[in-house]
Amino acid sequence: MNLDTLSLLPQAHIGMSLSDVPTPALLLDLEAFEHNLALASILAAAHGVDLRPHAKAHKCAEIARRQIEAGAKGVCCQKLGEAFALAREGIEDIHLSNEIASARSAMLAAQLAKHVNLSICVDHPQSVCQLATALRAVGSNLRVLVEVDIGQRRCGVRTVSEMLRLVDSICADTTMTFIGIQAYHGGVQHVEDWEERREAAEEATASAYEFFAALDRRGARGLTVTGGGTGSIEFDVASGVFTEIQAGSYILMDRQYGDLEWREFQPRHALHISSTIMSTPSAQRIICDAGLKSLTVEAGLPVPRSIDSDLKFEQWDYVLANDEHGMLEYNPKNNVNDMPQWGDQLRLIPGHVDPTINLYDEYVCHRGDRVLDKWRIDARGRSW
Amino acid sequence: MNLDTLSLLPQAHIGMSLSDVPTPALLLDLEAFEHNLALASILAAAHGVDLRPHAKAHKCAEIARRQIEAGAKGVCCQKLGEAFALAREGIEDIHLSNEIASARSAMLAAQLAKHVNLSICVDHPQSVCQLATALRAVGSNLRVLVEVDIGQRRCGVRTVSEMLRLVDSICADTTMTFIGIQAYHGGVQHVEDWEERREAAEEATASAYEFFAALDRRGARGLTVTGGGTGSIEFDVASGVFTEIQAGSYILMDRQYGDLEWREFQPRHALHISSTIMSTPSAQRIICDAGLKSLTVEAGLPVPRSIDSDLKFEQWDYVLANDEHGMLEYNPKNNVNDMPQWGDQLRLIPGHVDPTINLYDEYVCHRGDRVLDKWRIDARGRSW
């Protein structure tokens, strides 16, 4: 075998056993994935709201296709580069749930709008001007939403009058169609206690309603109110305010969302990082091969899971991530005596799904121990 | 322009102004890079030690080539996947400064050793057996080093007797050549105070010497003692123990290393993330387009830098990283009145170079404001 052949070897082959896939790899459990896929579709349909899952987490056209097939209206992207990557793979209805702030990006958005059904957010008058100039130059049209700030203090206009001024400038331009507002509050998503999360979601929704009501009073009808997320999905669908739900992480889940208190809506962990024990310095400390380049830790360390009924890793905590190493320490909370050995594999539930997936080129999709598919992460690295 | 053409548009073109490159982008300042390149070469040559820069940070064959051209003996890789990516681009002398722990990886290492001058670390007897089996099957030979633990408590044998048993088993097998030891202490690298760092480095070196001396007493000659890093490079080259220095981050630098007290050896920041102000919620808070998918924060938040003599961002701290947004807050420590505006660009010095680079496909190489080259990050995502 020559070096070129060797270098281009795929990590995983369809049909192989998961234990033969070189670690670390990004594993997608198809059974849990399908459970989560159905769960959100059923919930949205039951409440008569549109589902527009966020693709910023999964960055994968195959997942977007399956979400649309299961009833989603389209997807959200957070970056223009992501939208291009998914559009190229045939995703036709994309909402860019974010602002862009350069003439060059406005030109790209205008060009993309010639090919797909694109909508975009604005929160600044200059953005409206830039988009109008670009749309006129390219000869395309764009659906536009005003992002409103409902408590996150990040993007979005802060007052009704700011919103109305933007709406007026959008409506005054023939290249753009004003279709509604975007209202998202990231802080609500991770409130662990279910009741407290419900209260936080209600407060955010009440704020969104104020913006909506001002438009309603001006006679605007059929407006889109888009927002919501995985943590607040149960409240968002029933709010009577949101017409479209942008939840994204539910489809794969992570430690952070797994730590929430869930009631009716119960998504499962569909995403794991496979890892191998590569050094065994002591009986209390072992080293695995998955560090900061295989998972991100800004939202907490990953949780080790044993494979199948093997309980070897139930006594171990992942305590430190170096660039290419993970340190696991013994935590004798359980009475399990089957100690991990050099060369053993484990699975890790990552702390935060979005930036972790952005480290990989593909999902290794499996049922049980069998690799059944590989899905390309089309928008990986598309941060522009 | 059709969608396919649009989707595959490069982010940066050679000759363009940096301000036209869509943000966020990974910028490499060629002037600072060349300064750092020369600095380490001169230092190693002056002390008569070999330089074998670590490629785990830059992951780029073009940078490896330039390091070798400037006098480096070869490079280090931390993962087999990295080594394959660089070997494919013509890098011929690679030390895998890490352990592997599966029969499949051992086979890949054995195959790679047919094509390039490869060495590898072991710290477990099973690894020696696995490698021997693979080398015999493939018909190749491998240079092997025993990793010794000099205080980091991560990988590496902890005692001289453990080391000697491994050395014996390596020497007993005709497929392997024992060439020395690897001794690295990551904790030393980030001690900010120069004197304290010198003391920590001396302690680590003394521990490495104990392992070396045991081999020396057995009559081993011409051994490689490889290790060291950017933070300890001044002490490592002069230690009389290390024959080969593995420093990696010095070539690009990051906030973490920039915060150290430096004396003779003074590397410059050659790496920045470009970013655009995309929302301006208040006079005290602005939002940029570079978040967790454009830089990693586990070793601290990035530092904003104004472009050229423009001091707009000197009053602002990057205070929070969301997935695709960065929050900057006003910090009135300086008397600068030129406030950032919507659409303005800034540069960010990332907290931690290695995992940040692993998010990008290419370096946009520039002198001043002009894009002069683009270097592919060949081993990006190669975590296996």
Side-chain angles (χ1 to χ4, degrees), chain A residues 27-310:
Chain A
L27 310 183
L28 186 150
D29 180 332
L30 285 164
E31 201 177 308
F33 170 86
E34 286 157 7
H35 167 86
N36 298 343
L37 183 69
L39 204 63
S41 294
I42 292 166
L43 184 70
H47 288 85
V49 298
D50 290 323
L51 189 63
R52 183 183 285 282
H54 219 302
K56 79 195 216 19
H58 62 64
K59 288 180 173 271
C60 169
E62 180 60 31
I63 295 181
R65 263 194 290 278
R66 287 174 186 236
Q67 288 174 318
I68 291 165
E69 197 186 319
K73 191 180 182 182
V75 294
C76 296
C77 286
Q78 198 76 327
K79 294 283 187 159
L80 207 47
E82 271 174 21
F84 271 101
L86 296 191
R88 183 159 176 258
E89 297 302 315
I91 305 302
E92 290 195 330
D93 194 319
I94 299 175
H95 170 51
L96 192 65
S97 57
N98 204 2
E99 288 76 20
I100 55 176
S102 76
R104 195 181 159 92
S105 297
M107 278 300 287
L108 286 171
Q111 286 172 314
L112 184 59
K114 287 199 109 162
H115 301 276
V116 299
N117 197 4
L118 184 71
S119 56
I120 197 169
C121 287
V122 298
D123 74 352
H124 196 281
Q126 265 182 266
S127 182
V128 177
C129 298
Q130 264 181 359
L131 283 169
T133 305
L135 290 162
R136 209 156 281 124
V138 170
S140 58
N141 284 273
L142 195 54
R143 294 172 298 150
V144 177
L145 297 96
V146 174
E147 181 164 16
V148 300
D149 179 8
I150 56 170
Q152 183 164 23
R153 301 177 64 224
R154 193 172 69 182
C155 300
V157 297
R158 282 142 305 280
T159 64
V160 165
S161 59
E162 267 187 278
M163 173 187 72
L164 294 177
R165 275 199 298 276
L166 278 181
V167 171
D168 287 341
S169 67
I170 295 163
C171 293
D173 199 294
T174 54
T175 58
M176 286 175 267
T177 311
F178 173 69
I179 64 163
I181 58 173
Q182 172 171 298
Y184 177 71
H185 193 330
V188 173
Q189 305 306 320
H190 299 288
V191 177
E192 291 196 10
D193 181 86
W194 192 90
E195 269 302 341
E196 285 177 28
R197 197 159 75 250
R198 189 181 60 72
E199 281 165 31
E202 272 178 14
E203 199 178 318
T205 303
S207 172
Y209 183 76
E210 282 181 44
F211 289 99
F212 166 79
L215 292 164
D216 190 62
R217 281 194 298 275
R218 300 216 320 187
R221 293 293 172 268
L223 290 181
T224 297
V225 181
T226 186
T230 293
S232 60
I233 190 168
E234 289 177 78
F235 321 119
D236 300 329
V237 293
S239 66
V241 174
F242 290 104
T243 65
E244 189 178 276
I245 308 297
Q246 297 186 358
S249 302
Y250 76 91
I251 195 73
L252 296 166
M253 293 294 285
D254 58 23
R255 177 194 186 156
Q256 201 179 187
Y257 274 116
D259 284 348
L260 299 190
E261 182 193 353
W262 295 97
R263 292 199 182 167
E264 258 101 280
F265 187 79
Q266 299 208 328
R268 294 183 194 155
H269 285 296
L271 194 83
H272 298 86
I273 314 297
S274 61
S275 184
T276 302
I277 298 303
M278 55 176 287
S279 194
T280 51
S282 81
Q284 275 73 44
R285 171 181 291 213
I286 55 179
I287 310 296
C288 76
D289 64 355
L292 293 169
K293 290 177 190 166
S294 307
L295 45 86
T296 70
V297 300
E298 70 287 333
L301 292 165
V303 186
R305 284 278 172 267
S306 307
I307 297 176
D308 304 325
S309 57
D310 166 356

Side-chain angles (χ1 to χ4, degrees), chain A residues 1-4 6-11 13 16 20 22-24 56-57 59 78-79 82 84-85 87-88 98-102 104 108 111-112 115-116 123-124 126-127 130 152-156 158 276-281 285 287 289-290 292-294 297-298 322-325 327 342-343 352 354-355 358-361 380-384, chain B residues 1-4 6-11 13 16 20 22-24 56-57 59 78-79 82 84-85 87-88 98-102 104 108 111-112 115-116 123-124 126-127 130 152-156 158 276-281 285 287 289-290 292-294 297-298 322-325 327 342-343 352 354-355 358-361 380-384:
Chain A
M1 218 176 330
N2 70 27
L3 184 57
D4 215 50
L6 271 170
S7 300
L8 299 171
L9 275 183
Q11 261 192 289
H13 304 268
M16 90 197 290
D20 290 333
T23 63
K56 79 195 216 19
K59 288 180 173 271
Q78 198 76 327
K79 294 283 187 159
E82 271 174 21
F84 271 101
R88 183 159 176 258
N98 204 2
E99 288 76 20
I100 55 176
S102 76
R104 195 181 159 92
L108 286 171
Q111 286 172 314
L112 184 59
H115 301 276
V116 299
D123 74 352
H124 196 281
Q126 265 182 266
S127 182
Q130 264 181 359
Q152 183 164 23
R153 301 177 64 224
R154 193 172 69 182
C155 300
R158 282 142 305 280
T276 302
I277 298 303
M278 55 176 287
S279 194
T280 51
R285 171 181 291 213
I287 310 296
D289 64 355
L292 293 169
K293 290 177 190 166
S294 307
V297 300
E298 70 287 333
N322 288 165
D323 288 1
E324 292 89 2
H325 301 89
M327 193 173 284
W342 183 89
H352 188 184
D354 302 55
N358 192 42
L359 301 173
Y360 291 86
D361 291 309
R380 201 266 330 138
R382 294 290 192 112
S383 293
W384 51 275
Chain B
M1 220 178 324
N2 70 28
L3 184 55
D4 216 50
L6 271 171
S7 301
L8 299 172
L9 275 183
Q11 261 192 289
H13 303 267
M16 91 197 290
D20 290 332
T23 63
K56 80 194 217 17
K59 288 180 173 270
Q78 198 75 328
K79 294 283 187 160
E82 272 174 20
F84 270 101
R88 184 160 175 258
N98 204 2
E99 287 75 21
I100 55 177
S102 77
R104 195 180 160 91
L108 286 172
Q111 286 172 313
L112 183 59
H115 301 276
V116 299
D123 74 352
H124 196 281
Q126 265 183 266
S127 182
Q130 265 182 359
Q152 183 164 22
R153 300 178 64 226
R154 194 173 70 182
C155 301
R158 283 143 305 281
T276 302
I277 299 303
M278 54 176 289
S279 193
T280 51
R285 172 181 291 214
I287 309 296
D289 64 355
L292 294 168
K293 290 176 190 165
S294 307
V297 301
E298 70 286 333
N322 288 165
D323 288 1
E324 292 90 0
H325 300 89
M327 192 173 284
W342 183 88
H352 187 183
D354 302 55
N358 192 42
L359 302 172
Y360 291 85
D361 291 309
R380 202 268 327 138
R382 294 291 191 109
S383 294
W384 52 274

Side-chain angles (χ1 to χ4, degrees), chain B residues 124-145:
Chain B
H124 196 281
Q126 265 183 266
S127 182
V128 177
C129 299
Q130 265 182 359
L131 283 169
T133 305
L135 290 162
R136 208 157 281 123
V138 170
S140 58
N141 285 273
L142 196 55
R143 293 173 298 151
V144 178
L145 297 97

